[in-house]
Amino acid sequence: MATLQITDLHVSVDTEDGPKEILKGVSLTINSGETHAIMGPNGSGKSTLAYSVAGHPKYTVTSGSITLDGEDVLAMSVDERARAGLFLAMQYPVEVPGVTVSNFLRTAKTAIDGEAPKVRHWVKDVRSTMTDLRMDSSFAERNVNEGFSGGEKKRHEILQMELLQPKFAVLDETDSGLDVDALRVVSEGVNRAKDKTDAGIVLITHYTRILRYIQPQHVHVFVDGHIAEEGGPELADRLESEGYDRFTQTGEPAATTGA
Ligand SMILES: Nc1ncnc2c1ncn2[C@@H]1O[C@H](COP(=O)(O)OP(=O)(O)OP(=O)(O)O)[C@@H](O)[C@H]1O
Ligand SMILES: [Mg+2]
């Protein structure tokens, strides 16, 4: 069993007006096989936590620690973190012009395993995983995320997760923009990947819909850069019906997506 431990994490981002503190003391322990949902209003720092675990250079950890089985994750480069078994499915996956999905996956797999996958097995794995995720095989020859629809980008993130088999995966709004069928297909992909390696999952979401497919044991409420409340799955239902008003000091409704 593996443990990802985040302790009293403070993170700043560089802005034109100088560094701005976004995470203000986040502590979270995730063990193999556990699913933790993180919910919270827009701008509360959920993606910042995801990027900080992955090692995005724009975010500076000013204090606190992240360890994976006692190893200092913050001392690792981005690719060392990936090799150690950490995976991030981004809220806004980036386009990689000139690199095909097929090449990208193979390069990532080789880098993470330290050796190239055996061609025959690999091609079969990629094909069958794409079929499971209802991705047409033509995607393999397209450039990563270039011209992909929102839902196609999310499927591609989970395709990576299934093939790379991480120990811990942070899924940042993997459910946003998915139609009902895609939500089920993508969730099944996450559950397959989770079962294969007994991975620990951090699922960042605004909606309880995905939690019916990927069931969390723990739910954490993020407000203004820290965890304001923790509970079991019932907390997610309560948040969806009540919103976040009771967590905001002013009693004002939390920021919305502007819909
Ligand atoms: N590069 C940056 N410059 C200035 N502010 C930033 C930067 N990156 C993040 N922030 C701010 O940090 C706060 C937290 O952002 P973050 O993306 O972590 O929120 P979130 O909880 O993921 O929100 P959402 O639910 O909308 O995805 C926001 O107020 C955001 O504007
Ligand atoms: Mg976000």
PDB file of all heavy atoms in Angstrom, residues 40-48 50-51 91-92 172-173 204 206, ligand 2:
ATOM      1  N   GLY A  40     -15.836  22.504  -4.102  1.00  0.00           N
ATOM      2  CA  GLY A  40     -15.635  23.849  -3.568  1.00  0.00           C
ATOM      3  C   GLY A  40     -15.882  24.881  -4.634  1.00  0.00           C
ATOM      4  O   GLY A  40     -15.830  24.566  -5.816  1.00  0.00           O
ATOM      5  N   PRO A  41     -16.149  26.112  -4.214  1.00  0.00           N
ATOM      6  CA  PRO A  41     -16.487  27.154  -5.184  1.00  0.00           C
ATOM      7  C   PRO A  41     -15.368  27.460  -6.175  1.00  0.00           C
ATOM      8  O   PRO A  41     -14.209  27.132  -5.908  1.00  0.00           O
ATOM      9  CB  PRO A  41     -16.785  28.386  -4.307  1.00  0.00           C
ATOM     10  CG  PRO A  41     -16.347  28.056  -2.941  1.00  0.00           C
ATOM     11  CD  PRO A  41     -16.202  26.584  -2.827  1.00  0.00           C
ATOM     12  N   ASN A  42     -15.714  28.091  -7.267  1.00  0.00           N
ATOM     13  CA  ASN A  42     -14.731  28.530  -8.260  1.00  0.00           C
ATOM     14  C   ASN A  42     -13.682  29.403  -7.574  1.00  0.00           C
ATOM     15  O   ASN A  42     -14.013  30.241  -6.724  1.00  0.00           O
ATOM     16  CB  ASN A  42     -15.399  29.375  -9.355  1.00  0.00           C
ATOM     17  CG  ASN A  42     -16.347  28.560 -10.223  1.00  0.00           C
ATOM     18  OD1 ASN A  42     -17.458  28.991 -10.492  1.00  0.00           O
ATOM     19  ND2 ASN A  42     -15.927  27.398 -10.646  1.00  0.00           N
ATOM     20  N   GLY A  43     -12.437  29.191  -7.943  1.00  0.00           N
ATOM     21  CA  GLY A  43     -11.366  30.042  -7.429  1.00  0.00           C
ATOM     22  C   GLY A  43     -10.912  29.705  -6.023  1.00  0.00           C
ATOM     23  O   GLY A  43     -10.131  30.446  -5.428  1.00  0.00           O
ATOM     24  N   SER A  44     -11.361  28.570  -5.479  1.00  0.00           N
ATOM     25  CA  SER A  44     -10.994  28.251  -4.094  1.00  0.00           C
ATOM     26  C   SER A  44      -9.622  27.579  -3.988  1.00  0.00           C
ATOM     27  O   SER A  44      -9.121  27.393  -2.880  1.00  0.00           O
ATOM     28  CB  SER A  44     -12.076  27.379  -3.445  1.00  0.00           C
ATOM     29  OG  SER A  44     -12.308  26.224  -4.211  1.00  0.00           O
ATOM     30  N   GLY A  45      -9.039  27.194  -5.132  1.00  0.00           N
ATOM     31  CA  GLY A  45      -7.680  26.650  -5.098  1.00  0.00           C
ATOM     32  C   GLY A  45      -7.563  25.171  -5.424  1.00  0.00           C
ATOM     33  O   GLY A  45      -6.495  24.573  -5.263  1.00  0.00           O
ATOM     34  N   LYS A  46      -8.627  24.591  -5.936  1.00  0.00           N
ATOM     35  CA  LYS A  46      -8.615  23.143  -6.216  1.00  0.00           C
ATOM     36  C   LYS A  46      -7.584  22.794  -7.300  1.00  0.00           C
ATOM     37  O   LYS A  46      -6.785  21.872  -7.132  1.00  0.00           O
ATOM     38  CB  LYS A  46     -10.025  22.680  -6.639  1.00  0.00           C
ATOM     39  CG  LYS A  46     -11.091  23.000  -5.602  1.00  0.00           C
ATOM     40  CD  LYS A  46     -12.486  22.576  -6.053  1.00  0.00           C
ATOM     41  CE  LYS A  46     -12.955  23.211  -7.345  1.00  0.00           C
ATOM     42  NZ  LYS A  46     -13.132  24.677  -7.267  1.00  0.00           N
ATOM     43  N   SER A  47      -7.621  23.543  -8.404  1.00  0.00           N
ATOM     44  CA  SER A  47      -6.657  23.259  -9.476  1.00  0.00           C
ATOM     45  C   SER A  47      -5.238  23.594  -9.032  1.00  0.00           C
ATOM     46  O   SER A  47      -4.275  22.923  -9.436  1.00  0.00           O
ATOM     47  CB  SER A  47      -6.988  24.058 -10.741  1.00  0.00           C
ATOM     48  OG  SER A  47      -8.197  23.608 -11.286  1.00  0.00           O
ATOM     49  N   THR A  48      -5.110  24.596  -8.203  1.00  0.00           N
ATOM     50  CA  THR A  48      -3.787  24.951  -7.677  1.00  0.00           C
ATOM     51  C   THR A  48      -3.199  23.779  -6.904  1.00  0.00           C
ATOM     52  O   THR A  48      -2.008  23.475  -7.025  1.00  0.00           O
ATOM     53  CB  THR A  48      -3.898  26.202  -6.769  1.00  0.00           C
ATOM     54  OG1 THR A  48      -4.446  27.265  -7.553  1.00  0.00           O
ATOM     55  CG2 THR A  48      -2.561  26.605  -6.196  1.00  0.00           C
ATOM     56  N   ALA A  50      -3.927  20.631  -7.445  1.00  0.00           N
ATOM     57  CA  ALA A  50      -3.593  19.617  -8.451  1.00  0.00           C
ATOM     58  C   ALA A  50      -2.256  19.933  -9.108  1.00  0.00           C
ATOM     59  O   ALA A  50      -1.379  19.062  -9.235  1.00  0.00           O
ATOM     60  CB  ALA A  50      -4.707  19.549  -9.500  1.00  0.00           C
ATOM     61  N   TYR A  51      -2.073  21.190  -9.520  1.00  0.00           N
ATOM     62  CA  TYR A  51      -0.819  21.596 -10.173  1.00  0.00           C
ATOM     63  C   TYR A  51       0.362  21.500  -9.221  1.00  0.00           C
ATOM     64  O   TYR A  51       1.478  21.189  -9.637  1.00  0.00           O
ATOM     65  CB  TYR A  51      -0.931  23.026 -10.690  1.00  0.00           C
ATOM     66  CG  TYR A  51      -1.689  23.156 -11.989  1.00  0.00           C
ATOM     67  CD1 TYR A  51      -2.716  24.078 -12.140  1.00  0.00           C
ATOM     68  CD2 TYR A  51      -1.359  22.358 -13.087  1.00  0.00           C
ATOM     69  CE1 TYR A  51      -3.402  24.208 -13.345  1.00  0.00           C
ATOM     70  CE2 TYR A  51      -2.034  22.479 -14.292  1.00  0.00           C
ATOM     71  CZ  TYR A  51      -3.053  23.407 -14.417  1.00  0.00           C
ATOM     72  OH  TYR A  51      -3.729  23.535 -15.600  1.00  0.00           O
ATOM     73  N   GLN A  91      -7.665  20.072 -15.851  1.00  0.00           N
ATOM     74  CA  GLN A  91      -8.972  20.667 -16.108  1.00  0.00           C
ATOM     75  C   GLN A  91      -9.044  21.178 -17.551  1.00  0.00           C
ATOM     76  O   GLN A  91     -10.057  21.012 -18.221  1.00  0.00           O
ATOM     77  CB  GLN A  91      -9.195  21.826 -15.122  1.00  0.00           C
ATOM     78  CG  GLN A  91     -10.560  22.477 -15.254  1.00  0.00           C
ATOM     79  CD  GLN A  91     -10.808  23.513 -14.144  1.00  0.00           C
ATOM     80  OE1 GLN A  91      -9.945  23.757 -13.293  1.00  0.00           O
ATOM     81  NE2 GLN A  91     -11.973  24.108 -14.156  1.00  0.00           N
ATOM     82  N   TYR A  92      -7.958  21.771 -18.008  1.00  0.00           N
ATOM     83  CA  TYR A  92      -7.892  22.265 -19.389  1.00  0.00           C
ATOM     84  C   TYR A  92      -6.686  21.634 -20.088  1.00  0.00           C
ATOM     85  O   TYR A  92      -5.604  22.226 -20.102  1.00  0.00           O
ATOM     86  CB  TYR A  92      -7.779  23.791 -19.409  1.00  0.00           C
ATOM     87  CG  TYR A  92      -8.911  24.472 -18.674  1.00  0.00           C
ATOM     88  CD1 TYR A  92      -8.701  25.097 -17.455  1.00  0.00           C
ATOM     89  CD2 TYR A  92     -10.193  24.475 -19.212  1.00  0.00           C
ATOM     90  CE1 TYR A  92      -9.749  25.705 -16.777  1.00  0.00           C
ATOM     91  CE2 TYR A  92     -11.243  25.076 -18.541  1.00  0.00           C
ATOM     92  CZ  TYR A  92     -11.017  25.695 -17.324  1.00  0.00           C
ATOM     93  OH  TYR A  92     -12.052  26.291 -16.661  1.00  0.00           O
ATOM     94  N   ASP A 172      -8.828  16.505 -12.383  1.00  0.00           N
ATOM     95  CA  ASP A 172      -9.360  17.855 -12.177  1.00  0.00           C
ATOM     96  C   ASP A 172     -10.533  18.108 -13.127  1.00  0.00           C
ATOM     97  O   ASP A 172     -10.334  18.373 -14.306  1.00  0.00           O
ATOM     98  CB  ASP A 172      -8.246  18.889 -12.391  1.00  0.00           C
ATOM     99  CG  ASP A 172      -8.648  20.273 -11.894  1.00  0.00           C
ATOM    100  OD1 ASP A 172      -9.798  20.452 -11.441  1.00  0.00           O
ATOM    101  OD2 ASP A 172      -7.789  21.177 -11.945  1.00  0.00           O
ATOM    102  N   GLU A 173     -11.718  18.011 -12.604  1.00  0.00           N
ATOM    103  CA  GLU A 173     -12.952  18.234 -13.380  1.00  0.00           C
ATOM    104  C   GLU A 173     -12.982  17.409 -14.664  1.00  0.00           C
ATOM    105  O   GLU A 173     -13.317  17.917 -15.732  1.00  0.00           O
ATOM    106  CB  GLU A 173     -13.139  19.730 -13.669  1.00  0.00           C
ATOM    107  CG  GLU A 173     -13.377  20.509 -12.389  1.00  0.00           C
ATOM    108  CD  GLU A 173     -13.983  21.884 -12.621  1.00  0.00           C
ATOM    109  OE1 GLU A 173     -14.728  22.049 -13.597  1.00  0.00           O
ATOM    110  OE2 GLU A 173     -13.707  22.778 -11.809  1.00  0.00           O
ATOM    111  N   ILE A 204     -11.561  15.992  -8.355  1.00  0.00           N
ATOM    112  CA  ILE A 204     -12.045  17.367  -8.171  1.00  0.00           C
ATOM    113  C   ILE A 204     -13.284  17.538  -9.038  1.00  0.00           C
ATOM    114  O   ILE A 204     -13.239  17.264 -10.243  1.00  0.00           O
ATOM    115  CB  ILE A 204     -10.960  18.382  -8.590  1.00  0.00           C
ATOM    116  CG1 ILE A 204      -9.717  18.215  -7.715  1.00  0.00           C
ATOM    117  CG2 ILE A 204     -11.502  19.813  -8.510  1.00  0.00           C
ATOM    118  CD1 ILE A 204      -8.513  19.018  -8.165  1.00  0.00           C
ATOM    119  N   HIS A 206     -17.451  19.583  -9.445  1.00  0.00           N
ATOM    120  CA  HIS A 206     -18.516  20.468  -8.960  1.00  0.00           C
ATOM    121  C   HIS A 206     -19.839  19.724  -8.796  1.00  0.00           C
ATOM    122  O   HIS A 206     -20.784  20.258  -8.239  1.00  0.00           O
ATOM    123  CB  HIS A 206     -18.724  21.632  -9.939  1.00  0.00           C
ATOM    124  CG  HIS A 206     -17.629  22.648  -9.884  1.00  0.00           C
ATOM    125  ND1 HIS A 206     -17.410  23.447  -8.782  1.00  0.00           N
ATOM    126  CD2 HIS A 206     -16.666  22.980 -10.767  1.00  0.00           C
ATOM    127  CE1 HIS A 206     -16.373  24.238  -9.015  1.00  0.00           C
ATOM    128  NE2 HIS A 206     -15.898  23.969 -10.216  1.00  0.00           N
TER     129      HIS A 206
HETATM  130 MG    MG B   2     -10.065  24.398 -11.241  1.00  0.00          MG
END
